Amino acid sequence: MARAAEECGFDSIWVGDHMLYRGDGRPERGPWDAWTLLAALAASTERVRLGPLVASTAFHPPGLIARMAATIDELSGRRFVLGLGAGWNETEFRSFGIPFDRLVSRFEESFEIIRRLLAGERVSFEGRFQRVDDAVLMPRPARPVPMMIGTSGPRMLEITLPHVGTWNAWYSWYGNTASGFAALGAGVESAVRRSACVLVAVDGGAGERPLEADAPPVAPDDLAGHLRDLAEAGADEAILVLDPITEESIRTVASVLSV
């Protein structure tokens, strides 16, 4: 699928960082590990940007996240974007023994360590949840790895916007409409790039994602106009969330858009 996306002319490929879904009336399921998969994609693609959408800082120690990000950026030839978030799916936290309390406070400490390490700093930090002592990335990152934040929370935005290059909004946060994205983006008081996830149902969709009445999917035939409207609403980038996620869907949408 990644090679098809690159061949068809898409600009980027994003991988969800989740371990387990269950309890929503559908069979339990989960994707492959995001970081391992991104390393493989870095070696098997040549042009597209790559990133997690978005990596939960709760799943790994912050120093390890910084090391993995710097490594994949190097393997990919400077094509990596580190998307970050606090996490939200309680099921996977509980199942894998990860604390689910004070998510934003935990994120804040991890985020400071990650961003400073990726900036090439030598970092000592002692907080309530995280501690590092004279940590440094070796080999040193060849560049400051670009970062993206995925959130609609005011406190998360306050923590991250001074330090990231891109803000991303999941489609259900803004109703999957251009007007909704414009309204949500009005609360982001920053000059960062604005990235919108867009749910696209190919051939009516396959039910891989539960239907949300307040965030209906876009049909491929309507997508070009939808993307133009999003651009007018302030979006610099659209990340297509396809249902189903298949090579055929990728090629179908590419043919409609003539990317």
Side-chain angles (χ1 to χ4, degrees), residues 109 112-113 116 123-128 130-133:
E109 293 188 6
E112 178 173 344
I113 295 168
R116 290 175 60 190
V123 180
S124 293
F125 177 92
E126 185 163 0
R128 180 175 180 183
Q130 300 294 343
R131 178 181 181 275
V132 293
D133 183 11

Side-chain angles (χ1 to χ4, degrees), residues 171-176 199 211-217:
Y171 66 85
S172 61
W173 300 347
Y174 68 91
N176 211 36
L199 178 61
L211 290 176
E212 300 179 51
D214 54 354

Side-chain angles (χ1 to χ4, degrees), residues 60-201:
H60 302 281
L64 181 57
I65 291 176
R67 280 182 52 81
M68 292 190 293
T71 301
I72 295 175
D73 192 52
E74 181 69 23
L75 290 175
S76 66
R78 320 295 184 267
R79 292 185 286 125
F80 186 72
V81 178
L82 177 56
L84 290 174
W88 59 270
N89 181 11
E90 185 174 357
T91 293
E92 57 193 346
F93 279 75
R94 301 297 187 202
S95 295
F96 286 86
I98 300 168
F100 193 68
D101 64 307
R102 302 183 181 274
L103 290 182
V104 177
S105 295
R106 292 177 184 275
F107 172 89
E108 184 173 21
E109 293 188 6
S110 292
F111 179 73
E112 178 173 344
I113 295 168
I114 293 166
R115 68 172 179 79
R116 290 175 60 190
L117 285 172
L118 288 176
E121 293 185 34
R122 186 178 295 271
V123 180
S124 293
F125 177 92
E126 185 163 0
R128 180 175 180 183
F129 308 106
Q130 300 294 343
R131 178 181 181 275
V132 293
D133 183 11
D134 198 26
V136 64
L137 296 186
M138 292 291 178
R140 292 187 179 276
R143 64 166 184 165
V145 176
M147 292 193 294
M148 178 178 78
I149 181 64
T151 186
S152 60
R155 187 177 166 204
M156 287 282 287
L157 291 171
E158 182 181 0
I159 292 166
T160 57
L161 286 181
H163 307 288
V164 301
T166 304
W167 163 69
N168 174 262
W170 189 245
Y171 66 85
S172 61
W173 300 347
Y174 68 91
N176 211 36
T177 66
S179 60
F181 183 80
L184 185 63
V188 179
E189 298 178 357
S190 174
V192 294
R193 294 180 73 250
R194 294 166 184 242
S195 171
C197 291
V198 179
L199 178 61
V200 182

Side-chain angles (χ1 to χ4, degrees), residues 208-245:
E208 290 185 358
R209 296 190 176 277
L211 290 176
E212 300 179 51
D214 54 354
V218 179
D221 288 344
D222 300 326
L223 186 56
H226 183 84
L227 295 180
R228 286 192 293 269
D229 292 342
L230 269 179
E232 292 179 2
D236 300 295
E237 171 184 65
I239 297 176
L240 306 183
V241 182
L242 303 185
D243 182 7
I245 303 174

